[in-house]
Amino acid sequence: MINQSIIKALKNIVGPEHLLSEKEDMYTYSYDAAVLTPRMPSAAVMPASTEELGRIVSLCHENCIPITVRGSGTNLSGGTIPETSGIVLLTGLLNKIIEINEQDMYAVVQPGVVTATLAAAVEQKGLFYPPDPGSQLVSTLGGNVAENAGGLRGLKYGVTKDYVMGLHFFDARGNYVKTGSRTVKCATGYNLTGLMTGSEGTLGILDEIILKLIPAPIARQSMVAVYDTIEQASETVAGIIAARIIPATLEILDNFTIRAVEDYSRVGLPIDAAALLLIEVDGHPVVVKEDGEKVEALCRKMGAKEIKVAETEKERDKIWAARRSALSALAKLKPTLVLEDATVPRSKIPDMVLALQQIASEFNIDIGTFGHAGDGNLHPTILTDRRNTEEFKRVEEAIEAIFDKALTLGGTLSGEHGTGLAKAPFLEKEAGFSSVLFSRQLRRALDPQNILNPGKITGLSEEDSI
Amino acid sequence: MNQMNELAALVKELEEQLVICTRCGMCQSVCPLFEQTHKETDVARGKLALLDGLMKNIFSDPNGVTQRLNKCLLCGSCAANCPSGVNVLEIFIKARAILTEYKGLSVLKKIIFKKMLANPGTFDTLTQWAGWFQSLFMKSESNAQKTSCVRLISPLIDNRHILPIARTAFHKTLSPQIQKAPGSGLSALFFTGCLIDKFLPNVAHASVKVLNHHDVTLIIPRGQGCCGIPALASGDRATFTKLVDHHLDLFQKDEFDVLVTACATCTSTIKKLWPTVYKNPSNSVKNQLHTLSEKTMDINQFLVDHVNPDFKKDLSTTQQKDREIVTYHDPCHLKKSLGVAAQPRKIIRAAGKTLVEMDGSDRCCGMGGSFNLYHYGLSSSIGALKQKNISETGCRTVSTGCPACMMQISDMLAKKKKNIKVRHPMELYARALADKIT
Ligand SMILES: Cc1cc2nc3c(=O)[nH]c(=O)nc-3n(C[C@H](O)[C@H](O)[C@H](O)COP(=O)(O)OP(=O)(O)OC[C@H]3O[C@@H](n4cnc5c(N)ncnc54)[C@H](O)[C@@H]3O)c2cc1C
Ligand code: SF4
Ligand code: SF4
């Protein structure tokens, strides 16, 4: 617990309105979208300016109080579940778009700006901010940068890290650090921008974010390919990449997911199909046409029994609405949904898909699989009821089996959801002990008091393991 | 602590509905309250978590949770957009009832609900008196919204611009002919609702004219009261039950095909909450509630989907370009709760108006029933956004299908001295019918 004088000091900084410490409020900052045990902070504080933010960090540094930053709390790895003794720092009021520069094509934002708000604002100016996580209507850009969030367009356009040009952040001592720049190139100093991206609030607290924008693509074409076996579908994915075509989006839905989506939204998906590929190519109209035809031919060659090309914007929207509703549709089936994002090199997608089916039957659990097949990032989604302890144990075992398989195939535990608390114990398995040790030493050097989001990424028991 | 155990056991009734929430947080994108405050306890995810906390008995008293749970517009924006299909409103209403039954109603609420609302007769007389007294301390403003504001600053009224209580409530004007008008078409029981009866009787008069015009057999039973939502929102399930029983009894006396209302909130309460929140109904009551729910619909929906006149036939005599510009606000309880959005628009067009859509037509106006009473500042900030969107269309009239929204929007427009009228679609349509005929 933190003492009353600290609460008072925090109140002085942000005003009584923006400091919460009653147990009821604390309970609502004890969780995020990950399926983990909730833990309450001692206070939650909502700064409304850089100045307030800085004063809070300094105060915490002086008094050795852990800080967990929280954007919208939608991360899926427990990144915002605090240590009991600390505070949660809310970025909701730091939500201004500071600048959209059309000439130099960048935007400067505060960390609490919602992803979709920025995307819409730049679209109005004919520009494009591609990273589009499924949570874009709520997720904050601070959260996106801190998790290095991906999205449906990752295959061609990359993920958040490919758009972060520069950052301003407070370090653990409350110093204001500026990295990167507003230029396309920047080779001064360490690439701290890269280090901070994906650091989940463990190395610093992001204030201003400079993001790269690109011109919006002129043309696009979407299609759905229907398959009788999921192997054919996943081999098509590998085939498209091997043919050196990079669609903007290349998504897969398995039969379990197709049926759930159809049940939920009745958009007319073929419920007897074993798998669907949803594909979009974009760019210059001539290229779009050519690529579109090539992809169509490839799908047919690989065994697609039917291909439907969207003729109108409306048909296109329908295809992507179906994809976007996949998670929701699955979520309706059972009380608890565990969304994994183990990722493999894309040529290994067929092996991974097969492995997931085997794991589902071996552990006798329901797994719906969909996801960003094109970049090797599948979302095996496990449906269960956490209250059923016996089943939940099997679920946890199955998750480990999925991790193991992804690693044997040369992949990674998390393509986009981050390490947080959920995957911290498995980090060593993937990266090796030296890597974990290096990370811990880095952290200790930058944050000797261990106040920045303790417990995340590098594990809970800092003391014992160094 | 022991007693909190008891409460935990009561909340457990909601467990199966509560566990569906995956804490995905998507409700943050649509909650009008969260948009203002950015506090987790203001959004559905936080409130559902608090109920989970009660169920796990982690709080030492229920007051903190009650207070946070009650700070909610009950607009249903969260429920309508929840990926997991959490039935948020039903959970909130039931939870409010459980908490109130556990803690007891405040004295003031006891008087209002138990003594007044539960007895339609007393309630009618009291509002009539209030109507006579209001001229003493409110002055009417000669603005497009016909609101009143206070003569002297009163803490209760604040700087609200209130629609005055009507001189003559609708039910007072019910002649036997209106009360039962035979037609050749479907038969409809018209449920008036308190706000329309007492503040906006014109909406009821217009509805009657329209239904008559379309040859609907109309039944308007005397002795109608409140649909029960104010009591329910305060967790007073006893008064609610009493009101439902009263109406079930009343409606038994006539045969009718549909029950229509011109109030979005009454419709959604009768359709959705009567059957689900009524505590331990007998089998026969259960059946009655179920049948009634199936028969209940919004008046716009009834006209467009069931009476089905040729709404393409234009009632207007003016040229397209001279037509009055009208914008339409989607009441939460119509669009989000019942999926009724196209029908009122059809009616407005049929009334010969040019419909111009505002930005965010389905964003909550901020009224939220008693939310407006307890959180007037927040309610006004939300309402100000609506006002801005309405004004930006350049309309002369804003139309909406819920009297509560009409009152809130009137207040917001009056504050900004906007020359924009507020009308129910039935008022516009009835007016066009009258113009056409004369
Ligand atoms: C339905 C759903 C769909 C999703 N789809 C995707 C998807 O397609 N792709 C994807 O990558 N993710 C997805 N996610 C996960 C999640 O939305 C992302 O991780 C997102 O980036 C989190 O943003 P947030 O604002 O909610 O951050 P939070 O959850 O609040 O925080 C995430 C992490 O960032 C840190 N943080 C936040 N703000 C700051 C700051 N200013 N400074 C330093 N650290 C900070 C926090 O401490 C925490 O560690 C999805 C989640 C849900 C619920
Ligand atoms: S109420 Fe629905 S939208 Fe909100 S967090 Fe729960 S599941 Fe998600
Ligand atoms: S009902 Fe409305 S105000 Fe209440 S939590 Fe849901 S969206 Fe927010």
Side-chain angles (χ1 to χ4, degrees):
Chain A
M1 281 310 259
I2 59 181
N3 63 36
Q4 282 308 310
S5 67
I6 303 276
I7 301 266
K8 219 171 125 197
L10 286 169
K11 229 181 242 180
N12 276 338
I13 297 174
V14 294
E17 257 287 274
H18 297 141
L19 185 278
L20 306 166
S21 60
E22 286 177 28
K23 190 170 182 188
E24 286 82 2
D25 295 315
M26 296 309 96
Y27 196 61
T28 65
Y29 296 115
S30 67
Y31 53 76
D32 49 33
V35 186
L36 292 168
T37 309
R39 251 190 289 155
M40 284 187 270
S42 301
V45 53
M46 236 193 248
S49 65
T50 301
E51 193 239 308
E52 289 181 6
L53 180 60
R55 286 173 63 196
I56 297 167
V57 182
S58 297
L59 183 87
C60 289
H61 162 62
E62 281 151 25
N63 295 283
C64 212
I65 294 164
I67 307 173
T68 295
V69 195
R70 183 180 174 99
S72 295
T74 65
N75 77 86
L76 293 156
S77 48
T80 49
I81 300 180
E83 293 256 299
T84 31
S85 52
I87 64 161
V88 161
L89 197 153
L90 304 166
T91 60
L93 299 179
L94 300 169
N95 60 356
K96 274 153 227 75
I97 297 176
I98 298 168
E99 181 189 359
I100 295 176
N101 191 314
E102 292 175 70
Q103 269 180 332
D104 292 331
M105 296 205 288
Y106 66 79
V108 184
V109 298
Q110 288 191 309
V113 172
V114 168
T115 316
T117 308
L118 176 72
V122 303
E123 195 185 320
Q124 282 204 337
K125 308 203 177 217
L127 291 169
F128 187 32
Y129 177 69
D132 60 340
S135 51
Q136 60 177 345
L137 287 176
V138 281
S139 70
T140 64
L141 289 161
N144 290 169
V145 174
E147 292 286 1
N148 186 16
L152 265 60
R153 301 192 186 109
L155 175 56
K156 177 171 175 183
Y157 291 102
V159 295
T160 305
K161 77 168 160 50
D162 300 307
Y163 294 86
V164 189
M165 296 168 75
L167 295 168
H168 297 183
F169 65 91
F170 287 98
D171 72 5
R173 295 170 176 87
N175 297 321
Y176 200 56
V177 185
K178 297 183 181 179
T179 80
S181 77
R182 293 168 199 228
T183 53
V184 175
K185 294 174 164 181
C186 172
T188 353
Y190 286 122
N191 179 5
L192 297 182
T193 309
L195 179 65
M196 294 304 292
T197 306
S199 65
E200 301 184 14
T202 63
L203 298 178
I205 292 167
L206 306 176
D207 182 37
E208 278 183 27
I209 303 170
I210 308 168
L211 293 167
K212 180 168 87 178
L213 306 174
I214 61 174
I218 311 171
R220 53 195 184 187
Q221 189 181 81
S222 297
M223 62 185 95
V224 181
V226 183
Y227 291 88
D228 278 333
T229 70
I230 194 157
E231 290 78 13
Q232 289 170 328
S234 51
E235 271 157 24
T236 306
V237 173
I240 291 174
I241 308 294
R244 308 277 190 271
I245 302 170
I246 307 287
T249 311
L250 174 46
E251 299 282 312
I252 195 166
L253 302 185
D254 74 352
N255 177 265
F256 193 93
T257 313
I258 297 168
R259 276 183 292 138
V261 171
E262 188 51 25
D263 231 26
Y264 172 75
S265 51
R266 310 232 168 264
V267 284
L269 297 183
I271 51 168
D272 48 354
L276 296 181
L277 287 183
L278 315 183
I279 308 162
E280 180 164 287
V281 287
D282 71 357
H284 190 278
V286 179
V287 179
V288 167
K289 189 161 177 291
E290 206 182 296
D291 278 357
E293 282 163 5
K294 275 196 213 155
V295 169
E296 208 182 319
L298 243 162
C299 291
R300 279 197 209 289
K301 200 177 119 204
M302 305 294 239
K305 66 168 180 185
E306 195 194 328
I307 295 171
K308 191 158 170 25
V309 179
E311 304 289 347
T312 61
E313 251 333 79
K314 218 172 167 175
E315 282 179 20
R316 170 190 180 270
D317 290 347
K318 237 169 110 178
I319 294 178
W320 298 111
R323 163 61 185 89
R324 290 207 179 266
S325 69
L327 186 59
S328 323
L330 291 168
K332 280 206 163 68
L333 301 181
K334 284 203 181 167
T336 313
L337 172 147
V338 185
L339 179 65
E340 280 306 330
D341 73 326
T343 302
V344 293
R346 38 203 169 189
S347 60
K348 294 293 189 308
I349 281 281
D351 306 82
M352 191 64 191
V353 163
L354 207 67
L356 288 171
Q357 288 181 330
Q358 283 161 359
I359 290 170
S361 74
E362 183 187 336
F363 293 93
N364 187 23
I365 52 174
D366 289 333
I367 304 185
T369 297
F370 64 95
H372 323 305
D375 52 26
N377 182 192
L378 290 175
H379 284 314
T381 303
I382 305 173
L383 302 169
T384 176
D385 185 338
R386 209 178 175 199
R387 294 169 299 173
N388 181 344
T389 40
E390 185 272 324
E391 183 178 275
F392 202 72
K393 199 161 164 294
R394 276 186 280 126
V395 168
E396 287 176 324
E397 285 164 10
I399 292 172
E400 283 212 52
I402 294 173
F403 288 171
D404 285 341
K405 188 69 201 178
L407 293 180
T408 352
L409 291 172
T412 171
L413 300 179
S414 170
E416 53 181 21
H417 297 163
T419 317
L421 290 174
K423 296 199 174 84
F426 302 97
L427 186 62
E428 192 179 329
K429 213 178 206 176
E430 174 173 336
F433 182 67
S434 310
S435 166
V436 177
L437 188 63
F438 184 82
S439 307
R440 284 182 183 160
Q441 282 165 344
L442 175 76
R443 242 181 123 166
R444 175 155 289 198
L446 294 173
D447 175 16
Q449 297 168 302
N450 192 24
I451 62 170
L452 294 179
N453 215 1
K456 313 298 148 55
I457 303 184
T458 52
L460 281 169
S461 45
E462 309 277 316
E463 305 304 323
D464 320 334
S465 8
I466 286 196
Chain B
M1 207 57 194
N2 239 344
Q3 286 182 333
M4 287 303 284
N5 257 335
E6 228 171 81
L7 181 61
L10 291 170
V11 179
K12 221 165 160 57
E13 176 197 318
L14 303 175
E15 181 176 2
E16 289 308 313
Q17 286 182 297
L18 284 175
V19 292
I20 299 173
C21 172
T22 56
R23 304 276 187 272
C24 71
M26 295 306 283
C27 39
Q28 293 172 100
S29 69
V30 291
C31 175
L33 187 55
F34 183 80
E35 187 184 14
Q36 296 292 321
T37 65
H38 294 279
K39 286 186 183 152
E40 182 85 14
T41 51
D42 287 335
V43 74
R45 177 170 69 169
K47 291 178 159 75
L48 293 166
L50 287 177
L51 292 174
D52 175 69
L54 274 187
M55 191 169 77
K56 298 196 171 124
N57 196 8
I58 68 158
F59 301 116
S60 52
D61 74 68
N63 300 332
V65 175
T66 308
Q67 198 193 353
R68 287 165 180 81
L69 192 65
N70 288 349
K71 189 179 170 198
C72 169
L73 291 151
L74 295 178
C75 67
S77 304
C78 45
N81 291 283
C82 171
S84 305
V86 178
N87 202 335
V88 187
L89 285 192
E90 196 184 311
I91 296 177
F92 286 175
I93 291 280
K94 284 183 178 165
R96 287 181 184 203
I98 292 171
L99 280 160
T100 308
E101 279 151 23
Y102 175 78
K103 281 160 43 106
L105 266 185
S106 74
V107 181
L108 181 64
K109 282 187 180 165
K110 242 183 224 157
I111 298 175
I112 298 179
F113 296 137
K114 300 242 179 290
K115 299 264 186 288
M116 291 172 55
L117 207 57
N119 307 301
T122 324
F123 187 39
D124 285 346
T125 318
L126 280 172
T127 34
Q128 193 176 11
W129 290 352
W132 293 329
F133 279 116
Q134 76 180 353
S135 54
L136 286 179
F137 67 99
M138 301 285 287
K139 64 168 191 270
S140 59
E141 303 162 280
S142 42
N143 56 10
Q145 297 85 31
K146 303 252 178 301
T147 52
S148 300
C149 62
V150 274
R151 284 180 195 282
L152 297 166
I153 295 298
S154 130
L156 199 68
I157 310 225
D158 216 329
N159 59 345
R160 287 175 168 87
H161 299 257
I162 296 182
L163 282 186
I165 297 177
R167 259 174 213 283
T168 320
F170 174 69
H171 73 269
K172 289 270 177 203
T173 58
L174 276 182
S175 65
Q177 294 98 291
I178 304 187
Q179 213 190 320
K180 223 166 198 172
S184 54
L186 290 163
S187 60
L189 186 148
F190 184 74
F191 183 84
T192 316
C194 314
L195 289 185
I196 290 183
D197 185 53
K198 292 163 183 66
F199 289 86
L200 292 158
N202 221 9
V203 174
H205 291 301
S207 303
V208 168
K209 279 189 199 124
V210 172
L211 293 172
N212 284 340
H213 174 84
H214 286 294
D215 221 14
V216 172
T217 302
L218 189 59
I219 304 149
I220 312 177
R222 268 185 200 284
Q224 293 185 34
C226 168
C227 69
I229 189 70
L232 261 195
S234 294
D236 182 358
R237 197 151 31 175
T239 299
F240 165 77
T241 309
K242 206 167 155 192
L243 282 165
V244 174
D245 287 342
H246 168 80
H247 287 115
L248 283 183
D249 235 30
L250 192 67
F251 298 162
Q252 283 235 307
K253 303 194 172 97
D254 297 287
E255 293 275 330
F256 54 92
D257 300 315
V258 290
L259 183 153
V260 294
T261 95
C263 170
T265 306
C266 292
T267 313
S268 87
T269 305
I270 300 174
K271 210 171 170 57
K272 294 235 162 133
L273 298 178
W274 281 19
T276 48
V277 187
Y278 194 103
K279 204 172 178 181
N280 308 328
S282 66
N283 268 343
S284 95
V285 168
K286 205 185 211 159
N287 288 338
Q288 281 181 52
L289 288 172
H290 186 73
T291 322
L292 191 65
S293 163
E294 302 230 299
K295 283 185 180 178
T296 300
M297 67 183 84
D298 168 64
I299 192 161
N300 298 287
Q301 184 188 17
F302 174 62
L303 285 168
V304 173
D305 297 352
H306 298 273
V307 175
N308 205 13
D310 186 3
F311 278 113
K312 284 196 202 83
K313 220 188 305 161
D314 205 336
L315 288 170
S316 173
T317 44
T318 45
Q319 290 292 313
Q320 191 76 33
K321 66 177 168 38
D322 299 329
R323 288 186 185 175
E324 187 190 3
I325 294 179
V326 172
T327 192
Y328 176 74
H329 159 71
D330 284 292
C332 296
H333 293 157
L334 263 194
K335 185 171 175 196
K336 287 162 198 143
S337 167
L338 304 169
V340 175
Q343 298 92 330
R345 289 178 166 81
K346 276 199 180 143
I347 302 256
I348 293 169
R349 287 205 190 90
K353 309 292 179 192
T354 302
L355 183 69
V356 175
E357 292 290 341
M358 68 176 97
D359 257 4
S361 67
D362 62 353
R363 287 171 62 144
C364 177
C365 68
M367 179 62 165
S370 59
F371 180 86
N372 175 283
L373 284 180
Y374 296 109
H375 305 280
Y376 186 59
L378 272 173
S379 168
S380 298
S381 313
I382 300 168
L385 298 174
K386 180 82 341 180
Q387 180 278 122
K388 189 166 158 278
N389 289 341
I390 292 172
S391 302
E392 279 173 2
T393 61
C395 68
R396 300 254 309 280
T397 298
V398 51
S399 186
T400 186
C402 180
C405 302
M406 290 175 76
M407 294 175 94
Q408 166 81 344
I409 291 172
S410 297
D411 182 14
M412 295 303 129
L413 291 170
K415 264 200 177 68
K416 283 279 166 197
K417 303 206 172 3
K418 295 284 177 184
N419 188 18
I420 298 173
K421 289 177 294 208
V422 183
R423 293 287 180 271
H424 193 284
M426 284 304 118
E427 292 180 288
L428 299 179
Y429 187 62
R431 179 83 242 176
L433 284 175
D435 288 349
K436 181 89 176 173
I437 292 158
T438 52

